[in-house]
Amino acid sequence: MEQQKQQLILQTTQLEQLSRELEAATHAKLVFFTNVSHDFRTPLTLIADPIEQLLADASINASSHQLLELMKKNVHILLRLVNQILDFRKVENGRMELRLEPFDLSANFLNWNDSFRVALLKSTSLSPSMPLPIPTSG
């Protein structure tokens, strides 16, 4: 019985140590991603402004305008991701409350698919103004 008690104490100690190590590793990853996020935020912001200026230029042709809109959208997606990582850190530190919101997965997939339109158009003879076929379920 005493041996089982000692074994149980040893296992409990080991589990507590593993828990502390896991918590430290999680914290280290979060610190890393927070630092990287700060490093990405500034260049993304510096990219967004010239894109906006070019989009305001009336002399830009339709094809270039469409590419700039795609760039703008992708910069904003990355900025939103960076901000979400930074917000996650705030939630962990108790400086922000987590608020869940509904998410329309289908609509977002359609939106994300537009990001790949340029790559598809480059590899095919489709016109940029031609709508891409949308697969239907059935």
Side-chain angles (χ1 to χ4, degrees):
M1 189 63 137
E2 183 63 31
Q3 184 180 4
Q4 289 177 339
K5 182 180 177 184
Q6 291 300 322
Q7 188 176 7
L8 186 59
I9 291 172
L10 177 62
Q11 288 175 346
T12 302
T13 304
Q14 289 172 339
L15 283 174
E16 288 171 350
Q17 177 64 28
L18 285 173
S19 177
R20 284 190 298 274
E21 289 173 6
L22 180 61
E23 187 176 325
T26 300
H27 179 72
K29 284 190 270 184
L30 194 53
V31 167
F32 170 77
F33 284 118
T34 300
N35 291 338
V36 168
S37 295
H38 280 292
D39 292 341
F40 277 127
R41 181 190 267 173
T42 300
L44 285 170
T45 303
L46 294 173
I47 292 168
D49 188 49
I51 291 172
E52 293 290 342
Q53 291 174 12
L54 288 169
L55 283 169
D57 185 348
S59 68
I60 298 289
N61 66 40
S63 178
S64 295
H65 193 273
Q66 188 175 11
L67 289 173
L68 287 166
E69 285 291 346
L70 179 63
M71 291 167 60
K72 175 184 170 183
K73 183 174 94 175
N74 287 328
V75 165
H76 286 287
I77 288 170
L78 287 172
L79 278 170
R80 188 176 67 237
L81 178 61
V82 164
N83 288 331
Q84 287 172 345
I85 291 170
L86 295 173
D87 287 347
F88 188 75
R89 180 66 188 259
K90 290 176 189 174
V91 168
E92 185 193 48
N93 290 335
R95 295 187 329 222
M96 179 186 235
E97 186 175 319
L98 181 64
R99 189 182 69 221
L100 301 178
E101 294 180 1
F103 180 77
D104 187 345
L105 188 59
S106 177
N108 279 285
F109 272 133
L110 290 175
N111 193 18
W112 293 325
N113 282 338
D114 287 342
S115 298
F116 297 98
R117 177 184 295 269
V118 173
L120 177 64
L121 293 175
K122 280 178 95 173
S123 65
T124 66
S125 60
L126 294 174
S127 162
S129 61
M130 184 183 293
L132 294 176
I134 297 174
T136 57
S137 59

